[in-house]
Amino acid sequence: MSRIVVSGCLLGIPCRYDGKSCPNERVLKLAEKHTLIPVCPEQNGGLSTPRPPAEIIEGKVINKLGTDVSEQYLRGAEIALHVAELNHADAVLLKAKSPSCGKGRIYDGTFSGTLIPGNGTAASLFLKNRYPVFNEEEIDLLEAALIDKEDSNR
Ligand code: SF4
């Protein structure tokens, strides 16, 4: 059994900017074999739900009203990292494309639905701290990494 920090919205927690969630069956099924630890870096950073959507523009997180919310995003990323450290997490599974949780691809800051290479603030901090980070499209990779880790611990 591994401990996996998971974006709360993937587990059905209504913490998204629009007050909804995006439960994912494969993510929920992981709970049969692993301990899942929910985080929501945007809520953890003090932002309300619902909240205006935000995107990363030139290194800053700006919401659709033009407010710089970088400080809240960074604080939320640090809290999510702290949760992972306290729980000795083996891996992190984050919601794709989010300005905080997205790994590898995020929106380009124009609020036009255009994706560019990049990481959200929390994904970036987890990667910097050498956590294995996956998104919900990479569950096969996550499971393979956990099996490798269990094998190397034997
Ligand atoms: Fe989901 Fe992460 Fe956005 Fe919270 S910050 S709603 S966990 S994608």
Side-chain angles (χ1 to χ4, degrees):
M1 176 176 286
S2 298
R3 291 169 302 277
I4 311 168
V5 164
V6 182
S7 291
C9 55
L10 291 173
L11 296 172
I13 299 171
C15 51
R16 274 172 42 133
Y17 73 93
D18 56 5
K20 295 181 180 163
S21 67
C22 41
N24 179 295
E25 283 308 316
R26 285 200 71 193
V27 175
L28 288 163
K29 209 166 162 43
L30 289 170
E32 291 171 10
K33 286 194 193 155
H34 305 289
T35 301
L36 306 185
I37 304 150
V39 293
C40 175
E42 293 174 23
Q43 283 193 339
N44 295 151
L47 294 167
S48 60
T49 304
R51 53 191 170 275
E55 296 191 4
I56 298 178
I57 307 169
E58 294 173 3
K60 291 184 177 170
V61 191
I62 309 291
N63 73 18
K64 212 169 179 180
L65 304 178
T67 306
D68 185 340
V69 285
S70 305
E71 196 184 314
Q72 290 92 328
Y73 271 67
L74 290 173
R75 189 187 313 137
E78 281 164 9
I79 290 170
L81 175 66
H82 194 49
V83 169
E85 289 169 346
L86 285 175
N87 286 283
H88 305 287
D90 300 293
V92 182
L93 174 55
L94 298 176
K95 174 80 184 77
K97 303 175 202 166
S98 148
S100 46
C101 292
K103 190 207 83 179
R105 285 185 314 158
I106 52 170
Y107 292 111
D108 70 349
T110 61
F111 295 94
S112 63
T114 309
L115 290 164
I116 53 169
N119 298 311
T121 46
S124 180
L125 192 62
F126 279 121
L127 289 166
K128 224 178 265 173
N129 283 272
R130 299 182 179 281
Y131 277 87
V133 179
F134 303 88
N135 64 37
E136 74 275 25
E137 293 152 11
E138 299 174 324
I139 291 179
D140 290 339
L141 290 175
L142 165 68
E143 288 184 319
L146 294 176
I147 289 168
D148 282 352
K149 193 165 194 282
E150 278 168 22
D151 286 348
S152 67
N153 287 343
R154 269 186 203 136

